[in-house]
Amino acid sequence: MTVAILALQGSFAEHAAMLDKLCVEHFEIRQKKDLDRHFDRLILPGGESTVMGKLLLDSGMMEPIRQKILDGMPVFGTCAGLILLAEQVEDGECHLGTMQIRAKRNAYGRQLGSFYTEEEFQGIGTVPMTFIRAPYIDEVWGDAKVLAEVDGKIVAARQGKQLVTAFHPELTDSLQIHQYFLDM
Ligand code: GLN
């Protein structure tokens, strides 16, 4: 299996390190021609969703990536990656919009947006969760299902082969969520 990691900006190197620990092949997507390489899964890292959205658009990658996801390519979006995948984003600009969720950006306020907790993740158990200027999901509909909540706020969801977390599993020692994604 080969995983492609969008590497325009943000925490792509940390995702690569997780995949190294799981002995899974991976490469970075930086420009449109990288999409011609074969890959079985795609990771959209954390970072700044407005910057990533603009770079996706300017590089001509927005539409081809959206099409791959709609065609069934398994995708994992963390934090800014979640925002890119959300169909509706409060205060968001251009994004992929393939998942039936509404994301609220910087939803905990500027100071409270960064914190650590441990919570139940459906199908896995208790997992460590690191939040950095995090969004949360304020609504899911259609085929999207809630996988985790913190203080009554949705922080992980899945719709078919699309997985999103508002937190950063790539910044913890736990490989469980990456393994879950690889098993999807
Ligand atoms: N606040 C960022 C955004 O709106 C997301 C933060 C992150 O990915 N850690 O894109």
Side-chain angles (χ1 to χ4, degrees), residues 45-50 52 78-81 83 105-106 132-135 166 168:
E48 197 50 49
S49 59
T50 46
M52 269 193 253
T78 60
C79 203
I83 296 167
R105 293 186 61 215
N106 298 315
I132 302 173
R133 292 181 300 107
H168 292 271

Side-chain angles (χ1 to χ4, degrees), residues 148-167:
E149 289 183 47
V150 171
D151 295 333
K153 308 232 162 56
I154 305 165
V155 297
R158 176 175 176 176
Q159 178 185 329
K161 292 182 176 168
Q162 302 184 66
L163 173 68
V164 289
T165 62
F167 54 93

Side-chain angles (χ1 to χ4, degrees), residues 60-131:
M61 292 199 284
M62 185 76 89
E63 272 316 308
I65 290 181
R66 178 186 287 136
Q67 203 50 56
K68 274 184 189 293
I69 295 169
L70 293 175
D71 290 345
M73 167 72 65
V75 62
F76 178 19
T78 60
C79 203
L82 175 157
I83 296 167
L84 287 175
L85 289 170
E87 193 176 299
Q88 292 180 19
V89 182
E90 188 176 298
D91 179 27
E93 289 152 38
C94 41
H95 51 283
L96 294 159
T98 52
M99 201 169 164
Q100 293 171 311
I101 59 174
R102 184 169 63 235
K104 196 167 157 58
R105 293 186 61 215
N106 298 315
Y108 299 90
R110 294 221 168 265
Q111 298 306 315
L112 293 174
S114 304
F115 60 95
Y116 173 87
T117 188
E118 291 174 11
E119 271 300 337
E120 255 327 271
F121 190 101
Q122 205 186 94
I124 298 182
T126 305
V127 299
M129 300 180 180
T130 297
F131 293 83

